[in-house]
């Protein structure tokens, strides 16, 4: 067996191991006790709402996907790089992304009540259930991602006339995953925040009832939203980032080192090694007596990073020595840079969003003065939170380029994405514990159980913010690699196109690209605001017309709120999701390839800043509210708390809808530009 075949087989075996271990964890979680009949009823309602929404979302996305599939197939008449194989790559990427999000979310939904029930046994028992439920999503993501890319590559090189067409098909696979991710992120984000904001504004502020109170008609919709937004949406987001970065690195290796197939396959080996290390690293997540929840989760994260750093050395030495004229240590150091960026972004985001650091405490302190000062402080924190991540990313680009050129930057991005499994496991922990607390509240499980689920939920809010920071940073590096692909897709005589800032077409493109993330985010914020307004009116109506809700003798109509946000999310996700698909095609056809190159750079730069500002600022607002609810500045139902709820209401669509939606947006723009560059300008 030659080294090429051995490499492909190794990656496929590791991918299957990851999927099988995810299956084992899913069976383990599913076999746990779900609690009382009342808890099972609540869980069934959440499951029903999540299933109904996902079914409607995928039906809508399937229509768009079918159109793109046909266009890619028909494009084979104009370019040899397109055709049935490219269309099939798009289909594989879309289906794999959908499966990773859907299956992971369904396991997370089942883990909600099981986590609440496990809380009777203590903090560590509940933590284990929540983390393992989230680990199913993480391992499915990296397992399916590696399996789809490796398997499709092995098939495509057998059917393609040349390796260039196989590479184009891989990029199309990335587009399929990105398009599903975009819809999942946008639709799920609108759903979860419309329900959350609507429930908070009437329940907490007007009625003065606790979060997750069963008397709130929007409470089931809120819990459904946590799953379709933070579980399915995040899984699809990082799946496509993982797949896109892998195929972009492979495509770049094909262009830079056409004589070295090993350079193309190197990212697959890194991915395979990281799957095994992720499984081992997950065993380190354990809460000791008197220990903290966040340190327990971070033990698994750090163990995975350290084990991966150790394991990357022998495979890099075996495969990459001398490739492109660089010693293997240069490539190994670029991989370490990718792991370092992951750790750095986690630490930085934790600082700006956790309750025990000054940024969140400053927002809480500003809440004492009123609603306006809370908003000002939150905006300031969000803007400030962009500085360190951008400096880390810039330093990583310079260092990795110095070590191994543009391919070194791609390797750093790939190494960073190999941590996706453990990062998503920690992220999905958040909505699981959030819903566990909600079920405990609705099922009247008592203060002892809430004493377990509440601290888990508080930590989960920070882990979700940390994951979003990681996702944005990895998206930026992936987009840079994709831009390099674009400069070569529109090359003349093999010479990459040069984008001169003195060229007015490039400048116009920069302005258009810089505008797109702002316009995209504005549409999502407006969609959340409109849908939340509809929920507010519905909850008010039920409080007004259904007698006995407040004293418990009447039952709210939960299904009505679920229907409202489901319809709103499906309707409002279409236009924003089409922007990154249509914008590069329109600009390319009207203004040409140089302007389109400017669009890509502008979207990457402003998208990075806008996304970090929104996600970190929104999470800081949320945790400032939780910090006050813990008894500071007067505690609940005091003026400072009311101001903090207002800030959280603004921050919710920032951190869970508009900010995260920019991640897939900038990658879809770049992928569409890469795939259609040759078609538009060389036809």
């Amino acid at each position: 067996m030659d080294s090429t075949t051995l490499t492909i087989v190794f990656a496929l075996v590791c991918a299957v191991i990851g999927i099988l271990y995810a299956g084992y964890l899913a069976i383990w979680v599913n076999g746990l006790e779900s609690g009382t009949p009342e808890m099972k009823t609540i869980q069934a309602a959440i499951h029903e709402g999540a299933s109904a929404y996902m079914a409607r979302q995928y039906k809508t996305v399937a229509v768009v996907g079918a159109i793109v599939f046909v266009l890619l197939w028909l494009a084979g008449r104009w370019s040899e790089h397109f055709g049935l194989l490219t269309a099939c790559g798009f289909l594989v990427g879309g289906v794999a992304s959908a499966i990773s999000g859907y299956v992971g979310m369904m396991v997370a939904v089942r883990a909600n009540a099981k986590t609440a029930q496990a809380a009777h046994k203590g903090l560590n028992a509940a933590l284990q259930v929540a983390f393992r439920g989230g680990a199913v999503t993480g391992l499915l993501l990296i397992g399916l991602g590696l399996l789809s890319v490796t398997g499709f590559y092995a098939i495509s090189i057998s059917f393609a006339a040349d390796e260039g067409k196989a590479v184009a098909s891989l990029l199309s696979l990335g587009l399929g995953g990105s398009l599903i991710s975009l819809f999942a992120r946008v639709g799920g984000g609108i759903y979860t925040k419309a329900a959350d904001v609507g429930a908070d504004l009437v329940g907490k502020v007007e009625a003065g009832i606790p979060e997750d109170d069963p008397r709130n008609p929007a409470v089931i919709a809120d819990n459904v939203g946590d799953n379709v937004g933070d579980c399915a949406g995040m899984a699809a987001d990082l799946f496509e980032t993982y797949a896109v970065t892998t195929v972009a690195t492979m495509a770049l290796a094909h262009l830079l080192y056409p004589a070295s197939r090993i350079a193309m396959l190197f990212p697959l080996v890194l991915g395979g090694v990281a799957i095994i290390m992720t499984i081992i690293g997950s065993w380190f997540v354990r809460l000791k007596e008197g220990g903290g929840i966040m340190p327990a989760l971070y033990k698994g994260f750090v163990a995975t990073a350290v084990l991966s750093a150790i394991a990357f050395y022998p495979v890099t030495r075996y495969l990459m020595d001398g490739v492109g004229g660089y010693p293997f240590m240069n490539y190994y150091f670029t991989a370490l840079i990718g792991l370092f960026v992951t750790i750095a972004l986690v630490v930085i985001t934790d600082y700006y969003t956790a309750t025990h650091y000054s940024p969140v405490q400053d927002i809480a302190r500003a809440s004492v003065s009123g609603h306006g000062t809370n908003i000002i402080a939150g905006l300031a924190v969000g803007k400030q939170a962009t500085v360190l991540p951008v400096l880390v990313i810039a330093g990583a680009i310079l260092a990795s380029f110095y070590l191994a050129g543009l391919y070194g930057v791609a390797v750093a991005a790939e190494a960073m994405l190999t941590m996706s499994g453990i990062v998503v496991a920690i992220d999905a922990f958040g909505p699981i514990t959030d819903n566990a607390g909600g079920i405990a509240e609705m099922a009247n499980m008592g203060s002892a159980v809430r004493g377990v689920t509440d601290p888990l939920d508080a930590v989960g809010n920070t882990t979700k913010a940390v994951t979003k920071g990681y996702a944005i940073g990895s998206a930026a590096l992936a987009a840079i690699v994709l831009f390099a692909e674009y400069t070569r897709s529109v090359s003349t005589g093999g010479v990459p196109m040069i984008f001169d800032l003195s060229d007015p077409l490039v400048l116009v493109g920069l302005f258009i690209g810089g505008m797109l993330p702002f316009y995209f985010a504005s549409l999502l914020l407006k969609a959340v605001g409109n849908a939340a307004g509809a929920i507010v009116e519905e909850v008010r109506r039920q409080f007004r017309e259904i007698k006995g809700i407040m004293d418990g003798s009447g039952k709210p109509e939960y299904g009505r709120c679920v229907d409202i946000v489901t319809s709103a999310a499906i309707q409002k996700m279409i236009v924003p999701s089409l922007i990154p698909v249509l914008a590069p095609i329109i600009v390319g056809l009207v203004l040409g390839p140089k302007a389109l190159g400017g669009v890509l750079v502008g979207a990457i730069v402003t998208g990075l800043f806008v996304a970090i500002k929104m996600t970190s600022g929104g999470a800081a607002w949320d945790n400032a509210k939780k910090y006050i609810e813990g008894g500071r500045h007067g505690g609940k139902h005091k003026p400072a708390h009311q101001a903090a709820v207002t800030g959280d209401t603004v921050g919710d669509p920032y951190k869970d809808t508009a900010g995260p939606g920019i991640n897939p947006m900038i990658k879809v723009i770049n992928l569409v530009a890469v795939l259609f560059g040759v078609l538009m300008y060389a036809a």
Side-chain angles (χ1 to χ4, degrees), residues 266 312-322 328-329 331-332:
F266 181 55
F312 286 169
Y313 179 83
V315 297
T316 306
R317 181 173 184 174
Y318 175 71
L319 294 174
M320 296 300 291
D321 196 28
F328 80 92
M329 284 300 295
Y331 292 111
Y332 177 64

Side-chain angles (χ1 to χ4, degrees), residues 498-549:
I498 302 299
F499 298 92
D500 190 343
L501 289 178
S502 65
D503 189 328
L505 286 173
V506 176
L507 284 174
V508 169
L510 282 170
F511 280 117
I512 294 174
M515 168 270 295
L516 287 176
F518 287 93
Y519 182 60
F520 177 82
S522 73
L523 292 178
L524 298 188
L525 292 172
K526 186 176 180 180
V528 171
N530 291 339
I535 289 295
V536 167
E537 292 303 317
E538 174 60 23
V539 174
R540 286 173 177 168
R541 181 196 69 79
Q542 292 195 34
F543 278 142
R544 184 175 62 250
E545 297 179 3
I546 301 177
K547 306 302 180 183
I549 286 184

Side-chain angles (χ1 to χ4, degrees), residues 352 375-390 518 609-610 612-618 621 654:
Y352 279 103
I375 299 297
I376 293 170
L379 290 173
V381 168
K383 293 177 187 297
Q384 189 183 83
T386 64
V387 177
L388 291 178
V390 169
F518 287 93
F609 282 95
V610 172
I612 294 175
K613 182 198 77 169
M614 287 186 164
T615 54
S616 293
W621 262 315
Y654 261 46

